[in-house]
């Protein structure tokens, strides 16, 4: 395969140039200004398109095993490829949970049949109960790329400290859902003006901030690579900034919905704007954007969380939290961050490619001779409107919204796995 005439953007080296790329046997074989194509070569004319490393999502839910009406490994992979993602790290709150080697091996074995690269985390505790630790060593040896009880906070500080020590010894990240349930009466909505209008107390920012403060200190003390998942509060951003400056190996994920929307979206979209942690204030949203701009927040992750329409149609307190995100993430980054001048396109892609790759020890996220041919080709100027999804679910507040940045081709292992119609 030869890709011709595209603008190659490589966040790994902070460079961009017009170039052709030759791919052989799933590997980037040559990068040059004008590579002649043989008659037998599959040729993609990328004139007007940006060529980036394939996107890497560190936080997605494929609901497999356990919830095939929401998503499967296959439908999740299709959605990922449409969004430009060639590698996805799945969370461990499946049913059964990924707290044992057999469950992990089953997922990884079935994942080999899909066109993208699927990586799997193991849980921190058995059954996500925060009481009995999993055998992290055995999970790592079986292929786990990190550890998380995502969806459930680890409330026992001593337990969390020991888990961080174990993760540090294994040199794998531990990622944490930071919402202390002691502060929350109704999850999925910020405790503020909108929750008051609909008669709910909600989830105040202190629920997140208290655990972020604790876990930043534990990260400093253990040396573990600790990921603050889906950060939502301005004070949480400041805590991460402070502890990074102190030398902690603390990282933070920002989701497209948290940097694009506020709690006001609940008034418009109802349960399609319900997520954990909730959308918060404009001040919080701007603080997240500032954190992305100054490097405090080093990863953009989707928290792709599919649910059926029937589930989302329940009354707000009863509906599940979460939205899908793989198919709109890049466009939201371009629309909200790049076009509004907060990040350059290279900086955006850095947080969606090489930074996740480095944190999770993946040999992807870059464009170089000899590297795996995982690429996304997109038009950052193309306006489009999300209407239909390849995900099995469609729970998104961004349906019908004008977005810039259309994925045209996704290539994984040198194979074309998505082409826009």
């Amino acid at each position: 395969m030869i890709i011709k005439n595209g603008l190659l953007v490589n966040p790994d080296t902070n460079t961009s140039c017009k170039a052709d790329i030759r791919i052989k046997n799933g590997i980037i074989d040559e990068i040059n200004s004008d590579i002649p194509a043989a008659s037998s070569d599959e040729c993609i004319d990328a004139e007007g398109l940006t060529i980036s490393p394939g996107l890497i999502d560190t936080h997605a839910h494929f609901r497999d095993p356990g919830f095939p009406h929401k998503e499967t490994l296959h439908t999740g992979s299709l959605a990922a490829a449409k969004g430009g993602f060639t590698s996805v790290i799945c969370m461990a709150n499946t049913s059964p949970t990924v707290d044992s080697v057999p469950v992990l091996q089953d997922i990884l074995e079935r994942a080999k049949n899909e066109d993208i690269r699927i990586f799997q985390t193991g849980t921190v505790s058995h059954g996500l109960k925060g009481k009995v630790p999993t055998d992290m060593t055995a999970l790592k040896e079986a292929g786990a790329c990190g550890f998380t009880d995502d969806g459930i906070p680890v409330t026992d500080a001593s337990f969390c400290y020991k888990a961080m020590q174990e993760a540090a010894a294994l040199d794998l990240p531990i990622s944490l859902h930071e919402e202390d349930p002691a502060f929350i009466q109704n999850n999925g909505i910020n405790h503020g003006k909108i929750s008051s209008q609909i008669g709910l107390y909600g989830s105040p920012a202190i629920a997140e901030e208290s655990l972020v403060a604790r876990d930043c200190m534990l990260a400093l003390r253990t040396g573990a690579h600790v990921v603050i998942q889906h950060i939502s509060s301005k004070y949480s951003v400041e805590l991460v900034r402070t502890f990074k400056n102190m030398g902690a190996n603390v990282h933070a994920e920002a989701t497209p919905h948290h940097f694009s929307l506020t709690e006001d979206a609940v008034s418009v979209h109802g349960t399609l704007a319900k997520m954990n942690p909730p959308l918060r204030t404009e001040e919080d949203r701007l603080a997240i954007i500032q954190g992305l701009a100054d490097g405090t927040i080093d990863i953009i992750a989707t928290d792709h969380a599919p649910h059926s329409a029937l589930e989302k149609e329940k009354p707000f307190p009863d509906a599940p939290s979460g939205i899908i995100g793989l198919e709109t993430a890049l466009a939201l980054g371009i629309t909200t961050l790049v076009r509004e001048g907060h990040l350059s396109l290279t900086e955006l892609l850095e947080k969606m490619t090489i930074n996740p790759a480095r944190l999770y020890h993946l040999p992807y996220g870059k464009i170089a001779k000899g590297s795996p041919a995982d690429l996304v080709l997109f038009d950052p100027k193309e306006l489009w409107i999300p209407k239909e999804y390849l995900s099995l679910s469609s729970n998104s507040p961004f349906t019908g919204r004008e977005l810039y940045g259309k994925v045209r081709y996704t290539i994984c292992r040198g194979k074309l796995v998505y082409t826009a119609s």
Side-chain angles (χ1 to χ4, degrees), residues 326-338:
L326 285 164
E327 296 171 62
T328 54
L330 177 60
L332 286 165
I334 291 170
T335 303
T336 306
L337 301 176
V338 177

Side-chain angles (χ1 to χ4, degrees), residues 343-360:
L343 296 180
S344 69
L345 182 59
T346 301
E347 289 170 334
L348 172 68
L349 293 172
E350 178 185 47
K351 297 174 191 299
M352 301 181 77
T353 60
I354 192 62
N355 285 359
R358 287 170 178 161
L359 177 60
Y360 281 88

Side-chain angles (χ1 to χ4, degrees), residues 110-129:
R110 290 186 292 114
K112 294 177 183 177
N113 298 321
E114 304 303 331
D115 284 339
I116 68 160
R117 304 180 194 272
I118 299 174
F119 300 90
Q120 181 62 56
T121 56
T123 65
V124 175
S125 68
H126 278 280
L128 306 175
K129 295 180 179 179

Side-chain angles (χ1 to χ4, degrees), residues 235-267:
Y235 291 128
S236 294
V237 175
E238 187 58 39
L239 283 164
V240 171
R241 182 179 289 115
T242 298
F243 276 88
K244 275 193 167 188
N245 289 335
M246 293 170 67
N249 292 324
V250 62
H251 310 266
E253 299 171 346
T255 71
H257 41 278
H258 283 111
F259 64 66
S260 299
L261 300 173
T262 69
E263 61 185 343
D264 292 330
V266 174
S267 298

Side-chain angles (χ1 to χ4, degrees), residues 115-262:
D115 284 339
I116 68 160
R117 304 180 194 272
I118 299 174
F119 300 90
Q120 181 62 56
T121 56
T123 65
V124 175
S125 68
H126 278 280
L128 306 175
K129 295 180 179 179
K131 296 184 180 299
V132 179
T134 54
D135 187 340
M136 288 186 174
T137 299
L139 288 169
K140 177 183 178 178
E141 291 174 352
C145 65
F147 305 100
T148 180
D149 274 6
D150 177 52
I152 305 294
V154 181
T155 56
D156 186 321
S158 177
F159 184 92
C160 192
Y161 182 62
K162 292 173 183 175
M164 285 189 193
Q165 289 178 314
E166 182 69 12
L170 294 171
D171 192 26
L172 288 183
I174 180 170
S175 56
L176 300 167
H177 183 109
E178 308 287 43
E179 280 190 295
D180 189 336
F183 292 98
I184 301 170
Q185 292 186 23
N186 301 97
N187 70 14
I189 185 170
N190 182 50
H191 174 59
K193 63 176 183 178
I194 304 301
S195 67
S196 296
Q197 288 173 11
I198 64 176
L200 297 175
Y201 182 85
S203 173
I206 186 63
E208 174 179 291
E209 295 152 1
S210 59
L211 287 185
V212 170
R214 182 200 75 179
D215 291 339
C216 282
M217 180 55 76
L218 296 183
L220 182 66
R221 290 296 191 180
T222 61
H225 282 274
V226 174
V227 182
I228 306 300
Q229 296 179 328
H230 36 49
I231 199 165
S232 72
S233 158
K234 64 178 182 179
Y235 291 128
S236 294
V237 175
E238 187 58 39
L239 283 164
V240 171
R241 182 179 289 115
T242 298
F243 276 88
K244 275 193 167 188
N245 289 335
M246 293 170 67
N249 292 324
V250 62
H251 310 266
E253 299 171 346
T255 71
H257 41 278
H258 283 111
F259 64 66
S260 299
L261 300 173
T262 69

